Each structure stands twice: as C-alpha cells, then as structure tokens.
Amino acid sequence: MEEKSYQSFEDLLIWKEAMRFSVEIYQLFKESKDYGFKDQIQRASVSFPSNIAEGFERQTDKEFVQYLFIAKGSNGELRTQLYLAIELKYIERKAGIEMIEKARKISSMIGNLIKVRRAKNGVNAGRPVPLKGERLTGSPKPRN
C-alpha cells in the first residue's frame, strides 16, 4: 500500500473532520446564556484541530505526535463537557449523544494517526509515551 504524502495540515482528513466538528459545536451553543460554559466548550472544540495543525507544522514526527496527544486530550475534555451539557439540559439528549459519537470517531482517528506516525519512526506504537523516569519496557530507571 502506498503511503500518501501530505503537503499541509489542510490535506489531512482528520483536520477537516475536526474543523467541521468545531463549527458544529459553535452552532450548537451559539444561543447559550451560560457564557463561562459556552466559552469553555468552544475553546475545547477549537483546541483539537488547532493542535493537529500546529503539530503538523513542527519539525519532527515526535513533536507532531506530542501535539496529537494534546488534541486527543482536548477531545476527551470536550466529550465531558457535552455530557455535562446534556445533564444541565443545555442541549437535547439526542443531539448531545450524536456529538459525543462524532467526537469519539475523531478521537479514534487521532489515535490511529498517532500509531501510524510512531510506527513509521520505529516507536512502539501500541504503548503510551513512557513517563519521566520510566523505560520503554515499563521498568523504572535504575538508581545510581
């Protein structure tokens, strides 16, 4: 299978999907009077396409992957806020669940892109980034 070459982040399907999703969030909450909540959910929705774009523009795949992880985290933050919006009756339950499912799809796409970029560079794609002081095998650094 031939690997596609992308010239810019605008070529990435994941960025396009995330942008469309962000626009939907803005439209869904444009009439909200809870300005603090509205601001927070809109910021989270802008964060994941922005981090995909910023990471793509960085110099290395390692940096790109770091920004993809940030985008994935912002996606989780947004899903949490959607659950809250449903409970607070800011949005209809059906619309909220549909948005949560769209966000999950985007999160899965981000996760797949992380795996591809890490595998391309010989990094263990199935494991998370090791914590500070931890080896890739999961064992802690030996103390001196």
Side-chain angles (χ1 to χ4, degrees):
M1 187 162 134
E2 186 179 320
E3 185 176 325
K4 292 182 181 178
S5 177
Y6 298 100
Q7 300 302 312
S8 70
F9 64 84
E10 292 97 334
D11 296 331
L12 298 172
L13 176 62
I14 181 62
W15 179 81
K16 292 174 186 176
E17 292 286 328
M19 284 294 292
R20 278 192 285 273
F21 185 80
S22 186
V23 168
E24 287 183 56
I25 290 292
Y26 266 79
Q27 292 170 340
L28 187 61
F29 290 95
K30 70 180 174 187
E31 302 297 324
S32 176
K33 299 296 184 217
D34 184 339
Y35 299 109
F37 181 83
K38 177 180 168 179
D39 181 59
Q40 187 64 31
I41 199 165
Q42 288 175 336
R43 284 175 186 260
S45 77
V46 168
S47 180
F48 52 94
S50 297
N51 278 297
I52 292 165
E54 186 172 354
F56 187 92
E57 294 292 325
R58 295 293 175 141
Q59 295 296 314
T60 66
D61 275 338
K62 182 179 177 183
E63 288 178 294
F64 186 24
V65 167
Q66 287 175 316
Y67 277 86
L68 291 173
F69 275 113
I70 294 167
K72 196 162 172 39
S74 294
N75 184 291
E77 176 186 357
L78 185 118
R79 290 195 322 266
T80 298
Q81 292 161 357
L82 284 167
Y83 283 114
L84 184 58
I86 292 167
E87 293 300 315
L88 293 172
K89 301 194 183 338
Y90 289 172
I91 57 175
E92 295 289 324
R93 181 170 201 77
K94 183 180 180 208
I97 297 301
E98 287 173 6
M99 294 302 285
I100 289 166
E101 289 307 313
K102 286 180 183 182
R104 281 191 180 132
K105 177 186 171 201
I106 293 169
S107 181
S108 177
M109 291 172 75
I110 295 169
N112 288 336
L113 184 54
I114 289 168
K115 286 178 187 174
V116 167
R117 301 315 300 177
R118 293 178 91 192
K120 179 182 176 244
N121 292 299
V123 177
N124 185 352
R127 299 253 349 247
V129 175
L131 299 173
K132 194 172 190 178
E134 184 179 51
R135 293 178 183 210
L136 278 177
T137 61
S139 60
K141 272 187 187 175
R143 294 184 181 233
N144 293 335

